[in-house]
Amino acid sequence: MSDCYIYDALRTPRGRGKKDGSLHEVTALELATQALQAIRDRNGLDTGEVDDVILGCVDPVGEQGADIARAAVLKAGFAQNVPGMQINRFCASGLDACNLAAGGIMAGQTELAIGGGVEAMSRVPIGSSGGAWPEDPSIAIPAYFVPQGISADLIATLDGFSRDDVDAYAVQSQTRAAQAWSSGRFDHSVIPVKDALGQTILARDEHMRPATTMQSLGALKPAFAEMGSLGFDSVAIQRYPQVEAINHVHHAGNSSGIVDGAAAVLLGSKEKGEELGLKPRAKVRAFGSIGSEPAIMLTAPAEVSKKVLARAGMTENDIDLFEINEAFASVVLRYLRVMKLSPDKVNVNGGAIAMGHPLGATGAMLLGTALDELERRGLTTALITLCIGAGMGTATIIERL
């Protein structure tokens, strides 16, 4: 097996995923194109050397459908010989795209590849692609399908997380994200999105609400109580009969934000990097995915983290920093408890509650955030993980060089 090195990682800012968001006028194709062009330009890449471009996209329909990775390769002006592939493992798609690229390099079948992802949620709303899991009774019924918000509230109920617990975590995410931006921690990796005239449209994550307090969050009504009353609470309780009632604690302020964005990560072999004059920043130590119980859905990050740690011959004590996607506050709180982690090592620059979750891109964004922070602090190892719809988890361990 060969080593896989990470040579660069960048992302666009996250634009608010609504019609009044700054990136609403920008298609997913254009977002992905600008990410690819940026990673080409700042590394002086001869794109003919790139063996593959793999991009996550969770709702690959309409204008962001039909293999948007190949379309972005062409629009970015890459060499004609560069193929592109779109993948979908729900929220982990961007990280899995990087893992697939890394796997080809480690197997010796690929020398240089770009992983990443894109999602324009203001233009192609979440759930646009439909699917059998929520819509076909032959799988929805035996899998006890419920929307993710119900699953997040179920976790809070089973683990005893109160409304104050999840709100306090959300305030922390906002505070950390604001501190990260104000101190320039994202300056190296966030590339501005520009219009056709070259004017900057957005250079900074715009979903953040740094003035968030416990009091302002306390004024928000639970987002999933009404949905639960329509029958989904009963479905969850059928699967978990030890629960008498679901405690609905999540709302827009302590759940991941709907945003637009794209990310790209340049990976390659040592030999190809040396040939092209690229300096490796980190290497991929291990990665993997796992399935978990689909009704509660969001508990797999701990399980998959333990899986990849064992694969790497490591324990959680060997990891300096953790990045777990803040799909919902209870997901992170459970992860901290099960993995017995100090909050000081987890999501130290905030997360999706503050900055948003562009579904297909988030995993690649988290990898870049972890790498930047390892370099800033002079630390060595990071573990990146995400919960996934239908009960799955993906994780990756990287080592800074």
Side-chain angles (χ1 to χ4, degrees), residues 171 173-175 177-179 204 206-213 354:
V171 172
S173 180
Q174 295 283 357
T175 301
Q179 291 173 342
R204 183 183 178 90
E206 70 172 345
H207 183 269
M208 296 189 303
R209 297 178 177 85
T212 297
T213 64

Side-chain angles (χ1 to χ4, degrees), residues 113-392:
I114 297 172
V118 63
E119 207 84 29
M121 301 180 74
S122 70
R123 299 175 64 91
V124 183
I126 185 172
S128 293
S129 56
W133 168 52
E135 297 179 6
D136 187 333
S138 70
I139 183 59
I141 293 173
Y144 295 91
F145 168 78
V146 296
Q148 281 195 356
I150 303 295
S151 298
D153 285 339
L154 177 60
I155 289 173
T157 303
L158 287 168
D159 283 63
F161 300 130
S162 68
R163 173 68 181 262
D164 281 351
D165 291 333
V166 291
D167 282 357
Y169 182 82
V171 172
Q172 174 184 279
S173 180
Q174 295 283 357
T175 301
R176 287 181 171 182
Q179 291 173 342
W181 267 108
S182 64
S183 61
R185 296 179 197 173
F186 298 136
D187 290 352
H188 175 70
S189 296
V190 176
I191 54 114
V193 176
K194 299 183 178 182
D195 64 16
L197 299 177
Q199 301 297 312
T200 296
I201 299 172
L202 185 66
R204 183 183 178 90
D205 296 326
E206 70 172 345
H207 183 269
M208 296 189 303
R209 297 178 177 85
T212 297
T213 64
M214 291 292 287
Q215 290 71 30
S216 63
L217 293 183
L220 300 177
K221 294 181 179 180
F224 308 105
E226 182 176 353
M227 185 183 295
S229 70
L230 297 177
F232 287 116
D233 278 4
S234 296
V235 173
I237 292 170
Q238 280 185 333
R239 181 62 183 83
Y240 291 88
Q242 67 269 39
V243 174
E244 292 185 8
I246 306 294
N247 183 20
H248 291 287
V249 297
H250 288 92
H251 48 75
N254 56 34
S255 307
S256 55
I258 294 173
V259 294
D260 305 330
V265 179
L266 180 63
L267 306 106
S269 66
K270 179 180 180 181
E271 294 76 16
K272 180 56 70 172
E274 291 175 346
E275 177 187 328
L276 298 178
L278 300 171
K279 182 180 178 180
R281 297 174 62 190
K283 69 177 180 179
V284 177
R285 285 287 303 268
F287 59 85
S289 296
I290 199 168
S292 62
E293 200 282 301
I296 203 165
M297 195 184 315
L298 308 173
T299 58
E303 297 172 32
V304 74
S305 293
K306 293 177 180 179
K307 178 179 180 178
V308 297
L309 284 167
R311 181 170 291 163
M314 304 170 75
T315 72
E316 55 269 27
N317 295 325
D318 297 315
I319 301 298
D320 296 316
L321 294 172
F322 292 80
E323 285 287 333
I324 173 172
N325 186 37
E326 294 176 353
F328 301 90
S330 66
V331 173
V332 186
L333 292 176
R334 183 184 187 276
Y335 187 75
L336 287 166
R337 175 180 290 176
V338 174
M339 297 294 291
K340 300 178 181 178
L341 300 176
S342 166
D344 294 337
K345 297 174 64 173
V346 180
N347 295 2
V348 296
N349 291 319
I353 289 173
M355 293 177 284
H357 176 23
L359 303 177
T362 303
M365 290 182 171
L366 294 182
L367 190 153
T369 297
L371 176 54
D372 285 346
E373 192 63 17
L374 288 176
E375 292 175 339
R376 190 182 77 84
R377 296 188 179 208
L379 299 175
T380 304
T381 55
L383 187 152
I384 302 97
T385 186
L386 302 93
C387 59
I388 308 173
M392 294 181 284

Side-chain angles (χ1 to χ4, degrees), residues 63-88:
E63 64 187 29
Q64 67 182 27
D67 192 358
I68 195 169
R70 174 60 174 167
V73 163
L74 296 173
K75 192 172 191 298
F78 276 39
Q80 182 177 285
N81 64 284
V82 182
M85 177 170 65
Q86 173 268 324
I87 69 159
N88 178 14

